[in-house]
């Protein structure tokens, strides 16, 4: 049985009530809290800094999953780790030395991961699998919430899943496979069937009046899968 995890993205939450929103979505069944960190350089948008992470840490009874869409990454890796992040992922295009950046995350006591944009090839993972705890596959182009799922992502998820499964057979070490962008109850089963086990959902959850109803429906769809 796959241990599926739902990771609501606070990018779609009510910014005026973030602490309350975090508590509410955790009470509704969230497994992770996902931070979409954008710097207006790597992507054309600006969102949260490490002070927001530190302020929300006391409200979160589940791990904080920080997705860095920033360039360069190393200074913010340290800042978010110090602010209470539990998982930190970044884009390989944004680091001069991917191995060094991954080691920096792990040295700070956090789980480390790489993020694949829709056009980023899967083979970027091959030489750093020993340093990865998570791979995040983007099913939209990063920068804004509320986008539609890119169908070709299902093919990419299967390729990554095969790579991670083969690595697990050799190393006996599991690596999570997360997907971000356009995930909703209507397509989550199909995405899981392609190999994902961790699902970032923003507007699909925070855009609805009843968070628990949405998360419960997602879990029912995953059980049917």
């Amino acid at each position: 049985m796959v241990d599926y995890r739902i990771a609501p993205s606070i990018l779609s939450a009510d910014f005026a009530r973030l602490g309350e929103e975090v508590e509410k979505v955790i009470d509704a069944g969230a497994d992770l809290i996902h931070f979409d960190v954008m710097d207006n350089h790597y992507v054309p948008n600006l969102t949260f800094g490490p002070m927001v992470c530190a302020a929300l840490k006391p409200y979160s009874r589940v791990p904080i999953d920080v997705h860095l869409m920033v360039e360069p990454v190393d200074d913010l890796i340290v800042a978010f780790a110090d602010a209470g992040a539990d998982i930190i992922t970044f884009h390989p295009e944004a680091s001069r030395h991917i191995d060094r950046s991954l080691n920096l995350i792990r040295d700070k006591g956090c789980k480390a991961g790489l993020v694949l944009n829709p056009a980023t090839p899967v083979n970027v993972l091959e030489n750093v699998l020993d340093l990865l705890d998570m791979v995040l596959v983007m099913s939209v182009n990063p920068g804004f919430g509320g986008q539609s799922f890119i169908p070709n992502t299902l093919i990419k998820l299967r390729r990554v899943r095969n790579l991670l499964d083969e690595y697990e057979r050799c190393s006996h070490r599991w690596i999570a496979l997360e997907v971000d962008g356009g995930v909703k109850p209507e397509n989550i089963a199909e995405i899981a069937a392609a190999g994902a086990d961790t699902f970032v959902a923003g507007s699909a959850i925070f855009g609805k009046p009843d968070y628990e109803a949405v998360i419960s429906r997602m879990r029912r769809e995953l059980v049917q899968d």
Side-chain angles (χ1 to χ4, degrees):
M1 293 290 293
V2 179
D3 183 19
Y4 293 120
R5 298 184 295 178
I6 308 295
S9 169
I10 63 169
L11 182 63
S12 298
D14 182 347
F15 285 9
R17 303 184 297 116
L18 276 181
E20 181 184 338
E21 290 275 74
V22 167
E23 289 184 324
K24 184 178 176 182
V25 82
I26 292 172
D27 289 341
D31 301 295
L32 305 171
I33 295 296
H34 189 80
F35 271 67
D36 285 303
V37 180
M38 307 180 191
D39 66 352
N40 201 36
H41 294 284
Y42 184 74
V43 291
N45 201 357
L46 185 65
T47 58
F48 316 103
M51 287 188 294
V52 176
C53 182
L56 292 180
K57 182 68 173 179
Y59 293 88
S60 183
R61 308 186 305 276
V62 301
I64 292 178
D65 173 24
V66 172
H67 170 198
L68 293 179
M69 289 167 271
V70 303
E71 186 179 10
V73 299
D74 288 359
D75 286 348
L76 282 176
I77 284 171
V78 173
F80 273 94
D82 290 343
D86 299 285
I87 305 165
I88 299 177
T89 60
F90 66 91
H91 294 255
E93 300 92 343
S95 172
R96 288 183 178 272
H97 300 283
I98 296 170
D99 186 288
R100 182 176 65 196
S101 297
L102 289 168
N103 273 297
L104 181 58
I105 295 171
R106 295 168 73 87
D107 289 346
K108 295 295 291 184
C110 300
K111 294 186 181 300
L114 283 182
V115 187
L116 303 184
N117 281 334
T120 303
V122 172
N123 62 10
V124 72
L125 305 172
E126 293 175 355
N127 293 317
V128 292
L129 288 168
D130 286 345
L131 297 175
L132 297 179
D133 300 292
M134 175 182 281
V135 175
L136 170 53
V137 173
M138 294 300 298
S139 43
V140 298
N141 284 292
F144 298 92
Q147 300 182 63
S148 297
F149 185 89
I150 297 174
N152 193 59
T153 305
L154 297 174
I155 298 172
K156 191 171 200 174
L157 283 169
R158 293 187 190 100
R159 291 183 60 200
V160 176
R161 182 76 272 160
N162 289 337
L163 177 66
L164 299 186
D165 286 348
E166 178 61 28
Y167 172 75
E168 184 177 5
R169 281 191 288 271
C170 297
S171 67
H172 306 290
R173 200 174 71 84
W174 177 78
I175 298 173
L177 179 52
E178 186 173 42
V179 63
D180 183 359
V183 177
K184 51 190 177 181
E186 291 79 7
N187 64 9
I188 195 169
E190 184 179 25
I191 296 168
D197 51 68
T198 305
F199 308 89
V200 177
S203 56
I205 295 175
F206 286 109
K208 301 295 187 294
D210 188 338
Y211 303 164
E212 185 174 4
V214 179
I215 293 175
S216 295
R217 184 182 170 196
M218 287 180 167
R219 295 201 190 281
R220 287 195 302 272
E221 294 293 333
L222 291 169
V223 169
Q224 292 173 11
D225 173 63

